[in-house]
Amino acid sequence: QVQLVESGGGLVQAGDSPKLSCAASGRTFSGHVMGWFRQAPGKEREFVASISPNGYAAYANAVKGRFTISRDNAKNTVYLQMNSLKFEDTAAYYCAANNFASLSSWEIGSWGQGTQVTVSS
């Protein structure tokens, strides 16, 4: 099982471009589809982006064109570059490892503890 630890959140301003990181432990990281999800207060957790072991990516419509997911298999790390942040991007962001070899169908193998991103206007 992959253990995940997110970092890089905090209080940011609208329009800022923070980058989240997710450090993974475990020898199987490079074989997993990895992804980011987010959960705003009072809302369900939702998909943000995913990336295959060889770099193919998928995005939620709400972030397409603004967020970029990437990974460094040598460092066991997946990233989420967030550009042009909006107030509605405020949420706890979670890293996840997929048990399925799919960008869009998920069986969560591991969750990180989450990192809060708060966007002020």
Side-chain angles (χ1 to χ4, degrees), residues 98-115:
N98 196 356
N99 283 339
F100 293 161
S102 169
L103 291 175
S104 57
S105 296
W106 280 80
E107 178 183 270
I108 302 297
S110 302
W111 284 110
Q113 85 287 352
T115 185

Side-chain angles (χ1 to χ4, degrees), residues 79-114:
Y79 305 98
L80 186 68
Q81 176 67 54
M82 303 187 291
N83 296 328
S84 303
L85 275 183
K86 305 175 182 180
F87 176 76
E88 51 265 40
D89 293 318
T90 295
Y93 284 74
Y94 297 88
C95 180
N98 196 356
N99 283 339
F100 293 161
S102 169
L103 291 175
S104 57
S105 296
W106 280 80
E107 178 183 270
I108 302 297
S110 302
W111 284 110
Q113 85 287 352

Side-chain angles (χ1 to χ4, degrees), residues 46-57:
E46 65 177 6
F47 169 79
V48 175
S50 58
I51 188 166
S52 70
N54 58 358
Y56 288 101

